[in-house]
Amino acid sequence: MGIGATAGVAAVGGIALSAQASDDKTDSTASSSGSGSLVFDKDAYSELTTTITDTDGTEHSVTYHFWKAITYVAKPVDETYQSLIVSAPVKIDGKAVDATDAPILLANSVGGYMPSSVADATKVGGGGSAMGGGGGGAPSGAPSGAASNANGNTNATGGATSSNQLLALAAGYVVIEPGARGRTLKNSAGEYYGTAPAAIVDLKAAVRYIRSNKGRIPGNVERIVSAGTSAGGALSALLGASGDSRIYDKYLKELGAADASDAIFATGAWCPITDLEHADGAYEWNWGANKLSTGKQVDQTVSKVLQAQFAEYQASLKLRGLNGFGTLTARNYDEYLVKQYLEPSATTYLKGLSDSDRATYLAANTFITWSGGKATFSWADFLTHVGARKKTVPAFDAFDLSAGENNLFGAGTTQNRHFTAYGAKNDTTGLSSKRVASDIPETLNLMNPMYHLERGNPGRSKHWWIRLGTEDSDTSLTVSANLAAAAAGLGDDVNHLYYWDQGHGANTDPGDFITWIAKVTGHKNKKK
């Protein structure tokens, strides 16, 4: 599954970071407020200094105020996960920064819908996703040979790298990193307390905490930009799509969340593993003909049934493609992906190579026609180029309940459950019922950004940054494309592209994301 400037330093927030920071130096040791209070203690920070190197190899010294883990709900289930850290720049390259009205980057570290904690974080980028531990099989997006990224930003396990956080801090933005409960958490009674919808409820509670502390917490609480990768990308998209939706109210009330809005301004989602009730069909439509890494073909009977389900679902959406493409269907989606995303992605990649490197690449990839500075190829040849699919069939609601997503929909003392009618009907574990549990439909709505976009939720984010690697077979390429089409169809600002030859968790243009934040938020630097 697979997680924002100062005068003279990236005037529009456009520092591009390859992302290594030096050891931080603590100048003071004040600690942050703990649980029981939803009032942010603006004086409870430590002052740290770190060195951030941009893509030109230039080092920048960044001094920032850091607040250790702060519990963001009044009645936490587990403070280890229901807390956040705050980093606010005060000086960059010796020049004072006023971050009072700076955008806030809300960067989650969720990978695999697993627990994520900042409880022990001591600096910016300190969040972490608990990728180990028990649960229903390995989390989707676990290391499986994702393509490498020359910029060092591919994260095959999902969860956040520190690139976006460091970049944002160096650009003068406030960085807030929330923890969240995850699917493998279990109490002494054997009850799972981090399964759906716990993670999204926690992130919403974090946003409410931030917004309720307007004027106390650093940054502009009306300009919160979320970011996440894989399952974290799905949660980021869900956070953006579901702003102020009433269907979460009872869950937030149980936690004692702040009485404030949970709407965010903009959304950054990398390789979002989402729309789970339709993910198996989408996956087979995309990768059904591709063999596994073992060279074996998956059960084509099952694959074709799921492809038919996807065709029915896609038709029901009535989504129109970007740039006047028309209604997206299972019959034309391959053409849409090739023309709208894949050929432009390959073209951008090839244009960025030297003449000799381009010639070498084209000689090794003869399926690409390079003419007039543009790459063209067929969908079938693209699938052959990608090669082995990452997952078996069904990819998400496994018949034997072995997928991480089965654990995501666990409840009570039941670790793993089916969440699709097809998965339940074909269960191989000996369950007495061949139907999904009665609470599953509501839970699916709580976890799916498409549910909110289909209804035109007025509290949604209006700005979307969506990215996916072309070789990412942890999910279907249609998932993020549908998300983009749904948002664009509502009139939202959508910036969506695919990274050529990149695998799960790729983020090859982090500097562009930081610049985009400045653009959509209208942020301009302030000198002190």
Side-chain angles (χ1 to χ4, degrees), residues 365-504:
N365 295 277
T366 56
F367 74 97
I368 298 176
T369 298
W370 181 253
S371 178
K374 182 180 178 182
T376 57
F377 46 83
S378 71
W379 172 250
D381 284 341
F382 166 73
L383 292 179
T384 300
H385 173 67
V386 174
R389 54 186 280 166
K390 294 258 189 80
K391 299 177 179 181
T392 187
V393 61
F396 298 92
D397 188 0
F399 294 156
D400 63 358
L401 291 171
S402 62
E405 290 79 4
N406 293 122
N407 181 209
L408 176 64
F409 291 98
T413 58
T414 302
Q415 182 181 33
N416 307 314
R417 296 193 301 168
H418 290 293
F419 53 92
T420 67
Y422 188 70
K425 180 181 178 181
N426 291 280
D427 174 77
T428 60
T429 69
L431 293 177
S432 57
S433 173
K434 295 292 185 178
R435 296 183 178 181
V436 297
S438 60
D439 65 296
I440 288 293
E442 177 187 357
T443 306
L444 287 167
N445 292 342
L446 290 162
M447 296 301 294
N448 193 349
M450 293 296 291
Y451 171 83
H452 303 280
L453 293 176
E454 285 181 71
R455 286 155 181 79
N457 175 36
R460 71 185 183 280
S461 163
K462 305 302 193 299
H463 303 276
W464 299 80
W465 175 278
I466 306 170
R467 294 293 187 267
L468 185 72
T470 61
E471 294 200 354
D472 184 352
S473 63
D474 281 85
T475 188
S476 170
L477 301 184
T478 65
V479 171
S480 62
N482 271 349
L483 188 66
L490 294 172
D492 296 350
D493 163 44
V494 176
N495 187 315
H496 181 212
L497 59 78
Y498 291 56
Y499 302 127
W500 186 250
D501 277 356
Q502 294 296 310
H504 194 62

Side-chain angles (χ1 to χ4, degrees), residues 151-171:
N151 291 335
N153 293 309
T154 291
N155 184 10
T157 61
T161 62
S162 62
S163 301
N164 287 336
Q165 291 93 304
L166 292 173
L167 270 168
L169 192 71

Side-chain angles (χ1 to χ4, degrees), residues 19-274:
Q20 294 299 325
S22 69
D23 291 337
D24 292 330
K25 180 169 62 180
T26 303
D27 297 315
S28 65
T29 57
S31 62
S32 301
S33 59
S35 64
S37 170
L38 295 183
V39 177
F40 180 78
D41 185 350
K42 62 182 181 180
D43 298 318
Y45 61 82
S46 298
E47 187 166 291
L48 309 175
T49 297
T50 189
T51 300
I52 297 173
T53 306
D54 66 25
T55 52
D56 294 326
T58 303
E59 293 186 344
H60 300 279
S61 175
V62 180
T63 299
Y64 63 102
H65 290 168
F66 176 77
W67 285 260
K68 293 182 179 179
I70 305 165
T71 303
Y72 52 69
V73 288
K75 297 183 286 186
V77 176
D78 193 333
E79 291 181 85
T80 300
Y81 305 100
Q82 293 170 306
S83 59
L84 55 80
I85 56 176
V86 179
S87 302
V90 294
K91 190 181 296 184
I92 300 177
D93 290 338
K95 297 180 180 180
V97 179
D98 181 2
T100 304
D101 294 320
I104 296 173
L105 179 67
L106 184 74
N108 78 70
S109 299
V110 176
Y113 288 103
M114 300 286 275
S116 176
S117 176
V118 296
D120 298 324
T122 58
K123 60 182 178 179
V124 66
S129 185
M131 298 302 294
S140 299
S144 50
S148 63
N149 180 340
N151 291 335
N153 293 309
T154 291
N155 184 10
T157 61
T161 62
S162 62
S163 301
N164 287 336
Q165 291 93 304
L166 292 173
L167 270 168
L169 192 71
Y173 306 167
V174 174
V175 177
I176 300 181
E177 301 169 69
R181 289 170 292 164
R183 61 183 174 84
T184 57
L185 296 175
K186 185 167 59 173
N187 63 23
S188 59
E191 298 166 329
Y192 287 86
Y193 64 91
T195 53
I200 185 58
V201 173
D202 285 353
L203 294 181
K204 282 178 167 290
V207 172
R208 289 190 173 198
Y209 175 86
I210 295 166
R211 296 192 65 143
S212 71
N213 280 285
K214 181 178 181 179
R216 290 185 290 266
I217 203 164
N220 185 345
V221 302
E222 304 295 332
R223 293 293 184 267
I224 298 173
V225 182
S226 69
T229 300
S230 191
L235 290 168
S236 182
L238 181 55
L239 192 63
S242 66
D244 291 336
S245 171
R246 300 302 299 273
I247 68 174
Y248 301 90
D249 283 356
K250 65 179 181 180
Y251 301 98
L252 290 161
K253 185 176 181 180
E254 288 173 357
L255 296 176
D259 184 14
S261 170
D262 54 59
I264 61 171
F265 185 78
T267 298
W270 286 260
C271 53
I273 303 288
T274 190

